[in-house]
Amino acid sequence: MPRSDGMTPPGSIVTRFAPSPSGELHLGHAYAAIVAHDTARARPGGRFILRIDDIDPGRSRPEHVDAILADLAWLGLAWDGDPVFQSDRLDSYAAALDTLRSGGFAYPCFCTRADIAAEIAASDVAPHGPAASRYPGTCRAIPAAEAMARCAAEPHCWRLDTARAADSVGPLDWHEDGVGTIAADPLAAGDIVLARKDAPASYHLANVVDDAALGVTCVVRGSDLADATHVQRLLQALLGLPTPDYRHHALVVGSDGKRLAKRDHAAGLATLRQGGIDGARLATDLRAHRFPTGYSLANA
């Protein structure tokens, strides 16, 4: 249900909802879309953009795109302009990656997942929490000439040299709605993947490039993505991109307290729609934090 496109008045707000078409949307997606939509509509001239994150060709399906449009229309949500597809923006991601490589902030990595797991397991101090899956920097020290020669013959991805990048830009922060200024700690993420053969841009790289290109002024998304902001703030600085405000909202969880996944068919919007649920009424209930039996907001 697109609205007519238009210019965003100065001082107004632009938000976005960015689902991936790899399965049907569920109650958690509905709540996230409603929060982003309503955040924009609460301000005069605010714009709400729908972006389809279909950059993963192995998982994205056209039928899921159609279902996303139908689900949002069923909920009574209207977006501004036509949906934006990441698959149409590959040149922008390639240009951003070239900028990072030319600045010396990206390097090729030839490690497999098994290689990384083995090196982490063999380390003297077994890490815990997020550090347990952090890339140990195995390929960072490979001489440039050797690395480029290997690129021509071996599968590889491109990683961010996070420490070097962070040193180059200095301290960073962002504004979190309802919290205030948060200092960025990009080193906690380690040397993230920027691109690989089967995915021309990682989630982190594609998001910062797209948010800037679409003029997003407030990123509204679930609290499970809050940690991603640290390294995304670093990428914005490296690429000379503006930094939006952020709003990370609570997640919808099931009776077990776990966040929903696309395999949770009982909470799927298509399932609810086919069961005769009124979408506009459901949206009203979600706004009031009235959830179907068995679902709630985390920590609510």
Side-chain angles (χ1 to χ4, degrees):
M1 192 190 308
R3 289 165 37 123
S4 59
D5 202 358
M7 297 297 292
T8 304
S12 191
I13 188 171
V14 180
T15 67
R16 47 81 164 169
F17 177 57
S20 60
S22 57
E24 69 178 54
L25 300 186
H26 52 59
L27 283 169
H29 293 116
Y31 182 73
I34 288 168
V35 175
H37 170 275
D38 290 359
T39 298
R41 299 293 179 240
R43 296 267 291 274
R47 300 180 66 238
F48 173 62
I49 296 172
L50 175 60
R51 191 182 75 216
I52 305 297
D53 287 4
D54 61 341
I55 202 169
D56 185 346
R59 300 177 61 200
S60 298
R61 297 288 184 272
E63 59 268 26
H64 293 318
V65 175
D66 294 337
I68 288 169
L69 302 182
D71 286 340
L72 296 180
W74 173 67
L75 290 168
L77 303 183
W79 56 92
D80 293 283
D82 294 327
V84 177
F85 290 84
Q86 284 192 329
S87 57
D88 294 333
R89 295 185 39 76
L90 302 186
D91 288 347
S92 297
Y93 310 142
L97 181 60
D98 283 345
T99 296
L100 296 174
R101 286 190 295 218
S102 63
F105 302 122
Y107 63 90
C109 172
F110 307 93
C111 298
T112 65
R113 288 187 176 88
D115 294 335
I116 296 170
E119 182 155 344
I120 291 174
S123 62
D124 293 335
V125 180
H128 301 280
S133 58
R134 187 185 305 152
Y135 178 66
T138 309
C139 295
R140 190 189 308 125
I142 297 176
E146 177 186 343
M148 296 312 297
R150 291 179 63 179
C151 283
E154 299 180 41
H156 61 280
C157 69
W158 286 90
R159 289 186 179 273
L160 178 69
D161 189 336
T162 306
R164 181 174 182 179
D167 285 344
S168 75
V169 299
L172 299 169
D173 56 41
W174 76 86
H175 177 79
E176 181 73 30
D177 184 46
V179 177
T181 301
I182 294 181
D185 179 20
L187 297 180
D191 289 359
I192 61 163
V193 171
L194 296 169
R196 52 170 54 96
K197 183 177 180 180
D198 60 344
S202 68
Y203 163 77
H204 296 295
L205 182 60
N207 265 264
V208 298
V209 171
D210 287 343
D211 287 340
L214 298 175
V216 173
T217 63
C218 184
V219 174
V220 181
R221 58 189 181 187
S223 59
D224 56 327
L225 295 172
D227 286 347
T229 315
H230 293 274
V231 74
Q232 289 176 5
R233 180 66 189 89
L234 175 59
L235 289 173
Q236 289 161 354
L238 292 171
L239 295 170
L241 303 177
T243 301
D245 291 341
Y246 288 85
R247 179 181 178 186
H248 293 96
H249 57 73
L251 301 177
V252 178
V253 297
S255 56
D256 57 1
K258 296 180 179 179
R259 70 184 182 94
L260 303 182
K262 289 181 178 177
R263 61 180 176 273
D264 295 315
H265 297 296
L269 300 189
T271 300
L272 296 174
R273 186 170 71 248
Q274 293 162 8
I277 299 295
D278 181 86
R281 179 60 180 272
L282 175 63
T284 297
D285 287 343
L286 294 181
R287 288 184 173 100
H289 296 175
R290 295 190 298 266
F291 296 88
T293 301
Y295 302 97
S296 63
L297 275 185
N299 302 320

